[in-house]
Amino acid sequence: MVTSQRRERERAQRETLIVNAAREMAEADGWPAVTVRRLAERIEYSQPVLYSHFAGRGAIVDAVALQGIGELAEALEAARAGAEPGAELAAVAQAYLDFATGHPAVFEAAFTLAEGLPFGPDAPEVLKAGFAPLFAVFAPLAGDHDPEAVTEAGWAAIHGLAVLARDGRLRPEHQEERLAVVLEKFTGR
């Protein structure tokens, strides 16, 4: 029993090591630089060891995405909880943009590269937790519309700002103004 617990603990530690190394490599050099061979070299394990934890690079990207979405969920919830009444939407939106800017490789893994992460009712709990703070700030603005549809539209607007800014498609000096326009369209103020 003790031996199996130790093996499970060591396995979990290796998995964490793999995910963290992939994330660090992607943040430093971009996702194209993250290969199973390079990861194995970085963590000083053989490629078969990595494959014993993950089916391939895509599964590693998914694990980084899940880890990152968990962190995003925490950041969004902290922003919402710490905001003054009436300022929750602006706080959550700014936290989303800040996360995208501060963690570009994780953001890319979560929203562009992830291959095996279902969204919607079958989503893992961490993905639902990432959606919850967005729902909390957009749903009250739904009026006669479906609250989830309004939340999805609001998320799409903020996400679009994040992605377009990340890719250099928007003028950086107008980021605050663009966010104010989005918030105004949803709140009417």
Side-chain angles (χ1 to χ4, degrees):
M1 184 76 155
V2 173
T3 303
S4 67
Q5 289 174 341
R6 179 181 52 81
R7 280 190 202 129
E8 288 176 27
R9 188 174 56 253
E10 288 171 351
R11 181 173 176 78
Q13 289 170 341
R14 272 192 312 272
E15 194 167 297
T16 300
L17 179 66
I18 294 165
V19 170
N20 289 342
R23 182 176 176 164
E24 290 167 9
M25 290 171 68
E27 291 289 0
D29 302 316
W31 280 105
V34 180
T35 65
V36 173
R37 182 185 58 76
R38 286 182 181 152
L39 270 172
E41 290 172 3
R42 170 89 177 254
I43 66 170
E44 300 177 339
Y45 280 99
S46 67
Q47 289 183 43
V49 170
L50 272 73
Y51 284 114
S52 74
H53 288 273
F54 297 98
R57 181 180 178 275
I60 295 168
V61 171
D62 288 352
V64 170
L66 285 173
Q67 183 187 68
I69 290 173
E71 294 168 8
L72 174 61
E74 291 173 6
L76 298 180
E77 184 54 37
R80 187 186 73 76
E84 295 291 325
E88 297 93 349
L89 175 57
V92 167
Q94 189 62 59
Y96 192 93
L97 296 174
D98 291 346
F99 188 88
T101 301
H103 307 283
V106 172
F107 199 78
E108 182 180 12
F111 298 111
T112 304
L113 301 176
E115 298 173 352
L117 301 181
F119 284 82
D122 297 329
E125 288 304 313
V126 70
L127 296 182
K128 292 176 184 177
F131 189 74
L134 294 166
F135 185 81
V137 295
F138 280 108
L141 307 173
D144 294 336
H145 299 286
D146 175 69
E148 287 185 359
V150 171
T151 302
E152 290 165 346
W155 176 26
I158 295 167
H159 185 79
L161 290 178
V163 171
L164 291 169
R166 176 196 70 193
D167 293 345
R169 304 288 189 242
L170 299 174
R171 299 169 295 166
E173 66 273 14
H174 293 283
Q175 181 70 5
E176 286 182 31
E177 184 177 354
R178 282 189 298 275
L179 181 56
V181 169
V182 168
L183 297 175
E184 179 185 313
K185 294 300 178 186
F186 277 92
T187 63
R189 46 190 148 120

